[in-house]
Amino acid sequence: MFSRNYSYLLPFSPSTLLFSFILFLLIPLNSTAQQNDLINASISGTVKDTEGQPLPNATISLSSGKKSQTDTYGKFILKTLSSGKYSLSISLIGYETLKQDVALISDSTLNIAFVLQPANALNEVIVTAGRKAESLKDVPSSVTILNARDVKEQLNVNPSVTAILGNTVPGLGTSNNKATNSGQTLRGRQVLVLIDGIPQSTPLMNGSRDIRTLDPSVIERIEVIKGATSIYGNGSAGGIINFITKKPNTDQTLSGTSSMGISGNLAHPSNTLGYRFSQGFSGTINKFSYVVNGTYNYTGVQKDADGNVIAQPDGLGENSLYNAFIKLAYKPNAHSEMVASYNLFRSVQNSDYVNVVGKYGITPSVGQKGDDPGEAAGTPYNHNVLVAYRNTALPLSSSLDLSAYYNGFVSMNRYVAQGTAWYGPGQTKIQSFKKGVRLTLNTPWKAGSLGNGELTYGLDVLNDRTNQVLTDGRVYIPDMNMLNIAPYAQMKFDILTNFILKAGIRYENATVKVKDFNTIARGPNGQGSIPVSGGKIPYRATTFNAGLRYNKYDIFNPFVSFSQGFAINELGRILRTATSSTLESIATDPIITNNYEAGFSSRLGILNVTAAYFISTSKLGANLVDVGGFLVPQREPEKIKGYEITADLNFSPQWALGGSYAYTEGKAEQANGTKVYMNGLRIAPPKATAYLTYRPVSALDLKLFWVYTGSRDRFDVRANGLFANSEGDVKEVSLFNLSAGYRFSQKWSAGLGVENLLNNSYYPVVSQYRAIDAEYVRGIGATMSLNLNYSF
């Protein structure tokens, strides 16, 4: 167990490790490869999935024994072959093996394009859990993957990524129909959100806008790693959501997809019309490749099932979304690649409606015509810049991934006529600017008859500068300037082929600088403001992880794991409520999370099942509790536990049925030893999902979704007869959504989606537990989206 400062010094310094890495990189590359010019015949081609995306690392095998692998763009070539007939096999974990007979002619090249069909989802390849590509069957933790088809199906229903994830990922809270992801914790803890490895989250001051930071049109897949992880560091106590952006088309110089769509309320359509335009281009020119995409999405007025305009604060009604994305790649040879990408996301609400406050538990808040005196709320901008280099031909068969990134993120909160934490009206915005470098090296090794292994190791450097200010110039949270240098190592050992052992260590060496500041005044003439002397807040901690998975039998594939997470979470809230004049007397210790998990996956014929049970503890958490009308972090011991179950039945190529159930509960221990339930900001009610798929013909897909959230009533009203902030009772919600897709031809297709198909009148989970009159808002009524797509 950890002492209060959670510090464990490593036997080496970060600078020593970095110097060793540099020396390692300076070793000359292996240059002994020889070319054989005596080519009689050859085979070349591409391997893609059913969505047209290239599949790297697929194995191409000839009956003669010769083999090759596809590169990043799904391309391969086999040279120096004799003429004659062969049996060709293409295999990749997560896909059905494809076999084909070929006839080769001397002094010629046979070009073939292959499409692999997805196999058991338990075999999918993921890149997030261990920072390199590996099979899901080798990962001793719970993982949810949404591929391109899943994202496309959900996009038909609702184009917001918060809704897409909330409707599909067990353990993640459901969407609140707003521009924020408030309440969408993962297993009761904050999640680290990444785009191609670039952190979007603002753990120094959580603004709850980090999930909704890109449009689904640029997403290739989403990988959700659950539970604390010591591989990614700050902010990943609950797990990781990594959005992986699209790869270029390698078969054509120019290809693309044009999409346009409309949306609106089915029962009360007046003023609800929305529209969407998206244009993407992709291609490869010699050694260069590119992806370019632009999207504009406007959401009309949103109405509930009864036709009332939904209250506007932080809403998606009359919201304009812009997303611009570009990715450029250069591949000088088969072993190396350079990639540069940029993503701009902007989502703001310009509404001519204002909020008419209702009464919690009695009448909903609704919107009426009026002018909001504040600036447009939402995400004015989120910039992501990434430059990466990869080399797979280092000495000792090692590979290198080196990336540098920049993230500039501003989120604007709604205007309030009277603040609870400051004097008078105001509107705050969180500003976060991150710069970082990530170095990842991977070296395989052998242990004779015991099996093979690999070591992944590297260094993360992150500078995160975050603050929160009011638009009138007042400072709510001072500038927090963090520098974090974290070396890490992760070992994977395939013992006797079927036992996968993983263990790792990460050393966090972070310092946050804060200049002298005054807490914000709570009365006229600076009343209640406290001067605080600035300084440096050091954080030192070593976190560990270990896991074991046995993957010999598909019928029972069990795993156990232990992993720790590190977070400087909610430091901004701690500083803004300071009652002391020095940083040394403020409780700013980090949150060290211990995650214990056991689970299994199982495949029995047409049935796939996964299950996991977890316990998550921290000796010093940051449970947000209502104190004097605003939320204050309570540094208390915490224990969260729960379980998740998923099942999928593939009856035939036409019919499939599946679902999931997730349960989480958590308590914090007060100073007097009393254990109290954690509120809705952290713990979501039980959630169940189900789907039914019907494909009567290959061109038509029909899918019915069910999303259910159960009840949770853990708190009593306070002395004033009201629930405290985020302690309200939650009643069950049951919704049906429909997604349909039809392909007219190879180039033309259409998608139809209906959210809240039965037009149920309901209150989202967040509206219920928040127990605040202004936020007691109904969910949207039956809303239809129709999209038309043209691919070339």
Side-chain angles (χ1 to χ4, degrees):
M1 304 302 292
F2 287 87
S3 61
R4 182 173 174 79
N5 63 12
Y6 306 105
S7 299
Y8 292 84
L9 297 178
L10 292 177
F12 49 83
S13 68
S15 59
T16 302
L17 183 60
L18 178 61
F19 181 69
S20 301
F21 287 157
I22 295 173
L23 288 179
F24 183 84
L25 295 177
L26 292 177
I27 300 175
L29 299 182
N30 189 344
S31 58
T32 60
Q34 298 180 356
Q35 299 291 329
N36 188 340
D37 297 327
L38 301 177
I39 300 175
N40 295 321
S42 60
I43 303 174
S44 66
T46 58
V47 180
K48 294 185 176 182
D49 63 15
T50 54
E51 298 293 332
Q53 296 298 313
L55 293 174
N57 303 316
T59 299
I60 317 299
S61 304
L62 276 182
S63 52
S64 64
K66 196 154 190 176
K67 294 184 179 182
S68 179
Q69 279 196 327
T70 55
D71 61 17
T72 305
Y73 303 105
K75 293 184 176 182
F76 72 91
I77 187 168
L78 287 165
K79 299 180 179 179
T80 321
L81 302 173
S82 301
S83 58
K85 294 182 178 181
Y86 296 86
S87 176
L88 182 68
S89 173
I90 304 95
S91 60
L92 178 63
I93 293 176
Y95 295 87
E96 300 287 353
T97 299
L98 181 64
K99 295 184 178 181
Q100 182 172 323
D101 294 330
V102 296
L104 302 183
I105 301 174
S106 182
D107 298 322
S108 66
T109 299
L110 177 64
N111 293 292
I112 315 177
F114 298 99
V115 176
L116 296 187
Q117 299 293 324
N120 180 11
L122 301 177
N123 292 330
E124 287 196 72
V125 174
I126 62 173
V127 298
T128 305
R131 293 175 70 151
K132 68 175 295 293
E134 58 185 328
S135 169
L136 183 55
K137 291 181 68 174
D138 294 346
V139 178
S141 60
S142 296
V143 179
T144 296
I145 297 175
L146 301 182
N147 57 32
R149 177 187 288 273
D150 298 324
V151 173
K152 188 175 181 179
E153 289 173 345
Q154 292 294 327
L155 188 151
N156 286 335
V157 176
N158 190 321
S160 174
V161 291
T162 55
I164 291 173
L165 290 168
N167 290 340
T168 55
V169 178
L172 183 73
T174 53
S175 171
N176 57 16
N177 290 329
K178 291 189 176 184
T180 72
N181 47 268
S182 177
Q184 287 193 280
T185 56
L186 187 60
R187 292 182 170 181
R189 297 192 182 275
Q190 295 301 323
V191 61
L192 176 63
V193 181
L194 309 170
I195 298 179
D196 290 331
I198 302 176
Q200 309 298 298
S201 302
T202 55
L204 294 175
M205 179 56 208
N206 182 18
S208 296
R209 296 187 190 270
D210 48 350
I211 294 181
R212 195 170 175 270
T213 49
L214 82 171
D215 186 81
S217 60
V218 302
I219 296 175
E220 177 183 289
R221 58 195 270 121
I222 306 173
E223 297 180 356
V224 182
I225 315 299
K226 302 172 188 177
T229 172
S230 58
I231 297 301
Y232 283 86
N234 192 14
S236 57
I240 301 168
I241 298 174
N242 193 8
F243 297 105
I244 299 171
T245 58
K246 288 186 174 179
K247 292 185 176 70
N249 187 331
T250 59
D251 285 349
Q252 302 179 50
T253 301
L254 175 64
S255 64
T257 300
S258 305
S259 300
M260 60 184 67
I262 58 173
S263 61
N265 189 291
L266 285 175
H268 308 279
S270 177
N271 297 324
T272 65
L273 179 66
Y275 41 88
R276 175 182 175 86
F277 302 98
S278 183
Q279 178 62 59
F281 299 99
S282 177
T284 298
I285 305 172
N286 297 323
K287 296 181 179 181
F288 293 90
S289 60
Y290 64 92
V291 178
V292 179
N293 193 93
T295 300
Y296 174 73
N297 191 104
Y298 173 77
T299 304
V301 173
Q302 290 192 328
K303 296 182 179 180
D304 63 22
D306 297 327
N308 299 309
V309 175
I310 294 176
Q312 297 307 296
D314 289 325
L316 289 177
E318 297 181 291
N319 181 277
S320 296
L321 180 153
Y322 308 83
N323 198 104
F325 174 76
I326 181 171
K327 178 186 287 185
L328 305 175
Y330 174 65
K331 194 173 179 64
N333 53 57
H335 306 296
S336 60
E337 182 182 29
M338 291 173 281
V339 177
S341 66
Y342 170 73
N343 190 79
L344 166 64
F345 177 84
R346 172 181 168 84
S347 173
V348 293
Q349 182 185 46
N350 291 287
S351 177
D352 54 359
Y353 286 82
V354 294
N355 197 12
V356 178
V357 178
K359 182 64 176 175
Y360 175 75
I362 301 174
T363 58
S365 295
V366 297
Q368 73 172 20
K369 287 284 187 177
D371 295 322
D372 189 333
E375 297 184 25
T379 304
Y381 68 80
N382 182 32
H383 297 284
N384 283 287
V385 181
L386 173 68
V387 179
Y389 172 72
R390 176 174 175 79
N391 192 314
T392 59
L394 293 180
L396 305 177
S397 301
S398 299
S399 62
L400 161 74
D401 283 284
L402 179 64
S403 62
Y405 60 84
Y406 168 80
N407 171 251
F409 190 11
V410 173
S411 64
M412 183 73 71
N413 294 322
R414 63 185 178 90
Y415 171 87
V416 293
Q418 180 62 51
T420 56
W422 62 79
Y423 177 70
Q427 185 175 17
T428 68
K429 59 180 178 181
I430 296 174
Q431 304 175 115
S432 177
F433 307 96
K434 305 182 191 71
K435 296 176 289 185
V437 176
R438 287 188 166 179
L439 172 66
T440 302
L441 291 154
N442 180 268
T443 301
W445 48 274
K446 295 182 180 296
S449 59
L450 288 178
N452 301 325
E454 60 183 40
L455 182 66
T456 302
Y457 48 104
L459 183 72
D460 291 343
V461 180
L462 169 64
N463 175 230
D464 182 349
R465 183 168 62 86
T466 300
N467 60 42
Q468 186 174 12
V469 299
L470 274 73
T471 54
D472 60 17
R474 288 178 287 173
V475 176
Y476 190 30
I477 295 175
D479 203 62
M480 300 170 288
N481 195 333
M482 181 189 74
L483 177 64
N484 189 14
I485 301 174
Y488 68 91
Q490 175 86 5
M491 182 271 293
K492 176 182 176 183
F493 187 19
D494 189 351
I495 307 172
L496 301 176
T497 306
N498 299 118
F499 283 99
I500 308 298
L501 173 66
K502 296 185 75 172
I505 185 172
R506 181 183 176 98
Y507 176 65
E508 302 285 355
N509 183 0
T511 301
V512 180
K513 295 181 181 179
V514 180
K515 296 181 179 180
D516 296 349
F517 70 97
N518 293 313
T519 61
I520 198 164
R522 299 181 187 176
N525 303 317
Q527 293 179 14
S529 177
I530 297 174
V532 180
S533 299
K536 297 180 180 180
I537 307 173
Y539 297 93
R540 306 288 184 270
T542 303
T543 58
F544 305 89
N545 72 83
L548 182 66
R549 186 151 201 160
Y550 182 65
N551 63 8
K552 182 174 183 179
Y553 303 107
D554 282 346
I555 193 172
F556 187 63
N557 191 325
F559 70 87
V560 293
S561 69
F562 167 76
S563 186
Q564 294 178 309
F566 169 88
I568 310 173
N569 203 34
E570 305 293 0
L571 176 61
R573 291 183 186 270
I574 295 172
L575 295 180
R576 78 186 186 191
T577 56
T579 57
S580 176
S581 59
T582 61
L583 289 179
E584 288 77 7
S585 58
I586 301 173
T588 57
D589 301 71
I591 301 171
I592 304 296
T593 304
N594 301 311
N595 189 81
Y596 309 85
E597 184 173 9
F600 71 91
S601 59
S602 177
R603 183 183 183 185
L604 181 60
I606 63 172
L607 175 65
N608 293 330
V609 176
T610 69
Y613 178 81
F614 64 90
I615 297 175
S616 176
T617 66
S618 52
K619 282 193 172 182
L620 199 62
N623 189 31
L624 297 179
V625 176
D626 186 343
V627 177
F630 54 96
L631 296 169
V632 177
Q634 302 295 300
R635 307 310 308 274
E636 302 167 335
E638 298 174 350
K639 183 176 182 179
I640 300 172
K641 59 183 179 181
Y643 58 90
E644 298 166 6
I645 302 171
T646 71
D648 299 276
L649 273 167
N650 298 296
F651 296 106
S652 68
Q654 290 77 37
W655 290 95
L657 175 69
S660 69
Y661 183 82
Y663 175 86
T664 304
E665 191 55 272
K667 288 186 176 182
E669 184 176 341
Q670 298 179 329
N672 61 6
T674 302
K675 295 181 180 180
V676 297
Y677 285 105
M678 301 170 71
N679 62 34
L681 282 172
R682 292 281 298 279
I683 306 298
K687 184 177 80 171
T689 67
Y691 69 85
L692 176 64
T693 300
Y694 178 49
R695 298 187 180 98
V697 293
S698 61
L700 177 63
D701 285 333
L702 298 172
K703 201 161 190 175
L704 181 66
F705 299 94
W706 175 62
V707 182
Y708 168 85
T709 51
S711 60
R712 187 173 190 259
D713 53 349
R714 299 291 187 264
F715 305 95
D716 297 322
V717 296
R718 296 199 174 181
N720 58 5
L722 302 175
F723 284 107
N725 189 329
S726 300
E727 293 185 358
D729 288 347
V730 176
K731 295 179 174 61
E732 63 181 26
V733 176
S734 181
L735 299 174
F736 287 91
N737 302 324
L738 175 68
S739 178
Y742 185 76
R743 182 168 294 279
F744 301 99
S745 65
Q746 188 174 1
K747 294 185 176 181
W748 289 96
S749 64
L752 171 70
V754 181
E755 186 174 12
N756 191 3
L757 181 65
L758 302 181
N759 198 37
N760 286 344
S761 180
Y762 73 101
Y763 291 90
V765 171
V766 174
S767 293
Q768 297 187 60
Y769 75 66
R770 285 288 281 171
I772 297 175
D773 292 343
E775 298 185 29
Y776 192 58
V777 179
R778 282 195 181 125
I780 61 174
T783 302
M784 184 186 73
S785 300
L786 179 62
N787 301 292
L788 183 65
N789 310 302
Y790 174 73
S791 300
F792 58 92

